[in-house]
Amino acid sequence: MSSADETPAPTKFILPDLVTDCTYPLRLNPSCYKVARAAERWLLRGAHLSEARSTKFMGLKAGELTSACYPDADAFHLRVCCDFMNWLFNMDDWLDEFDVADTWGMRESCISAFRDPINFQTEKLGGKMSKSFFRRFIKTGGPGCTERFIHTMDLFFIAVVQQADDRANGVVPDLESYITVRRDTSGCKPCFALIEYAARIDLPDEVMAHPCIQSMEEATNDLVTWSNDIFSYNVEQSRHDTHNMIVVLMRERGLDLQGAVDFVGRYCKASIERFERERAAVPSWGEEIDRDVAIYIEGLQNWIVGSLHWSFDSERYFGKEGLKVKEHRIIKLLPKRPL
C-alpha cells in the first residue's frame, strides 16, 4: 500500500455531549471546602507522596467530587467519605504500577484493616490509611452497609489483579470481559455503600438484591465508568495504557477513534435512560423502607451528575483546561511517551 492510501493518525477527537444528556440537579455539600482541604492534608500525611505526585494530587479535587456525590452528609460523615475517595484515587495510581503479587499483598493488608481497624497491624501505608478512615466509619455504619463496603472493596482488588495480569501479558480483553472487570476496577461499588453510610441508613439485603436496585446501581456504575474512559483516554493513550473501553472497541469492532468515542457516548446516554426505566419500576417495601430507598436512589443520581461535572473541574483529565473543554469538547491528542 502506498503512503498516499494510508489514513493519517488522528490528532484530535470530539467528546460526546454527556453533560447535556444528564439533566439531574448538581448540588454541593455546604461543608465542601473545609472538609475537602482537611482530607487532602490527611492523604498527604499518610501516603508520603513525592513532590511531583503531591502537586498532581492537589489538582485532583476529590473532595469536590465527594461533596457533589454526598451533598446532604454532615461534616463528620463527609470527611470519612472524602478520606476514602482520596485514598481510592491514590490507591488506583499505586496499583497501576504494581504487579500481581504486590496487588495481592495490598489487598490482604487493606481488607484486614477493614475487618478489624482497631487491632490489625500493618506497615503498608495503604493499610494504615484504611485503618484510619474505617475506624471512624464503623462508629455509625450499619452492619449491612459495612459488609457491602468490604465485599465490594474486595471485588475491586480482585479485578485490579486481573488488570495487572492482563497488563503484564499484553492482553486486551474482548468487550464483554472488559465491561465485567471494569465494573469492579472503577471502585464505584464501595462508593455506593457510602451513600447508605452518609445518609445514616442501612437497607435490608432483600432490597439491595432486588433486580431494579441492582440494575440502577449497574447503570450508575456504567455511566460513571464509561464516561471516565472517554475523559481519561487521552492521558492513557499517551502512556500506552490499554485498559479503556475505547481501545477495546477499536480493536474488536474495527472502529476509528471518533467512532469508538461516539459508541461509548451512546452507551453512556443509554445508561441514564436505563436508570430512569428502572426507577419507574421500583416496588414498595412499606413507608419507612421506601423513604430510605428514595434516599439511596437519589444518592445514585448524585453520583451520575456529580461525577460528570467534576471530571471537568478536576485537573486529572484535562489539566487546567477543563472548563474550556467542557464548552468546546475538542480534545487534542497528547504525544505518546517513549516506551
Side-chain angles (χ1 to χ4, degrees), residues 42-89:
W42 172 84
L43 188 283
L44 291 173
R45 278 197 310 272
H48 301 178
L49 300 181
S50 66
E51 188 174 341
R53 289 213 170 189
S54 294
T55 301
K56 181 182 170 189
F57 166 73
M58 292 304 292
L60 174 64
K61 301 180 183 175
E64 280 77 352
L65 170 63
T66 313
S67 296
C69 294
Y70 310 99
D72 300 311
D74 63 32
F76 175 84
H77 288 79
L78 181 67
R79 174 62 196 277
V80 172
C81 294
C82 276
D83 284 353
F84 167 71
M85 202 73 75
N86 281 322
W87 174 91
L88 182 63
F89 275 107

Side-chain angles (χ1 to χ4, degrees), residues 193-233:
L194 291 184
I195 296 171
E196 296 180 82
Y197 167 77
R200 309 286 294 275
I201 61 176
D202 197 39
L203 290 164
D205 289 344
E206 65 176 283
V207 171
M208 300 307 283
H210 191 278
C212 280
I213 300 298
Q214 295 207 332
S215 185
M216 292 179 84
E217 288 177 344
E218 186 175 272
T220 305
N221 193 347
D222 288 349
L223 183 282
V224 174
T225 303
W226 297 340
S227 63
N228 179 265
D229 276 13
I230 296 174
F231 299 145
S232 63
Y233 172 77

Side-chain angles (χ1 to χ4, degrees), residues 242-259:
T242 58
H243 190 71
N244 187 297
M245 194 175 192
I246 292 169
V247 178
V248 172
L249 282 166
M250 289 170 73
R251 293 206 182 184
E252 184 171 308
R253 304 285 174 93
L255 299 175
D256 63 11
L257 175 57
Q258 190 63 56

Side-chain angles (χ1 to χ4, degrees), residues 152-215:
T152 51
M153 274 310 310
D154 204 20
L155 293 178
F156 165 79
F157 279 112
I158 291 168
V160 172
V161 167
Q162 178 65 54
Q163 183 183 343
D165 192 52
D166 286 349
R167 187 167 57 233
N169 292 298
V171 173
V172 178
D174 61 67
L175 183 60
E176 188 177 346
S177 302
Y178 173 78
I179 288 173
T180 300
V181 172
R182 189 72 177 95
R183 282 172 176 155
D184 286 324
T185 61
S186 71
C188 283
K189 293 177 181 180
C191 296
F192 299 162
L194 291 184
I195 296 171
E196 296 180 82
Y197 167 77
R200 309 286 294 275
I201 61 176
D202 197 39
L203 290 164
D205 289 344
E206 65 176 283
V207 171
M208 300 307 283
H210 191 278
C212 280
I213 300 298
Q214 295 207 332
S215 185

